Amino acid sequence: MKRIVAVLAVIVALTMLSGVFALPANAATTGYAAEVVRLTNAERANDGRYALADSHSKLNAAAQKRAEEIAVKYDSNHLRPDGRAWSTVFEEYDLPYSVAGENIAMGQKSPAAVVEAWMNSPGHRSNILGLKANFNYIGVGVCEKADGTLCWVQLFLNDGTVSTNPGAGQIASGIGLISVIIRIWNWLRGLYPMISSFFNL
């Protein structure tokens, strides 16, 4: 019995010290993902670009997988823990694409903080705004490490149904009203997870 207790104590101690064991997604981090989408589309709208759809369940699952992976091993070169390129996650989730992109981050405490950090980085900003390639879907993953550190991932994808030309993502000036409606809709969608989490709906 003493040996079992000792083994359990060692496991708990290693877990606390390492901080690499990720906690499962919870209501807070789920709400964070939706807020990252909302803020990302707000930045795109400010730059005259249409909103990215976040309705692709496989893309969201792939983004969550990547968030859990960087909680285990953060690699600024976007390599996965086993050394493969980040884009191999698309094959695992059967996600065909014309072009794709990834933003990763660790340590920011809120959706606003991580989107601001990405927007202040030329490469990450380019992905968000589609400056080098036009995307039409976004997937977001958020993972909390055992020590409370948050890991963030955005996956961008063009599924081949729209042009990959960066200019294709721009909103025509004659449909400004539609742009406003899209912004309001995305803002309301972003609020729902936070409200439902707060009231435990």
Side-chain angles (χ1 to χ4, degrees), residues 2 5 11 15 80 93 103 137 171 179 201:
K2 289 182 178 179
V5 172
I11 292 172
T15 301
R80 304 178 71 181
Y93 286 86
N103 285 346
Y137 282 101
I171 300 170
S179 172
L201 297 178

Side-chain angles (χ1 to χ4, degrees), residues 174-188:
I175 56 171
L177 178 59
I178 293 176
S179 172
V180 171
I181 292 172
I182 290 173
R183 289 189 206 183
I184 294 172
W185 173 248
N186 285 326
W187 179 73
L188 290 173

Side-chain angles (χ1 to χ4, degrees), residues 147-189:
D147 63 3
T149 301
L150 292 174
C151 304
W152 310 83
V153 170
Q154 289 179 313
L155 288 180
F156 303 92
L157 177 148
N158 183 316
D159 65 355
T161 61
V162 298
S163 171
T164 59
N165 187 315
Q170 295 177 326
I171 300 170
S173 58
I175 56 171
L177 178 59
I178 293 176
S179 172
V180 171
I181 292 172
I182 290 173
R183 289 189 206 183
I184 294 172
W185 173 248
N186 285 326
W187 179 73
L188 290 173
R189 283 199 316 166

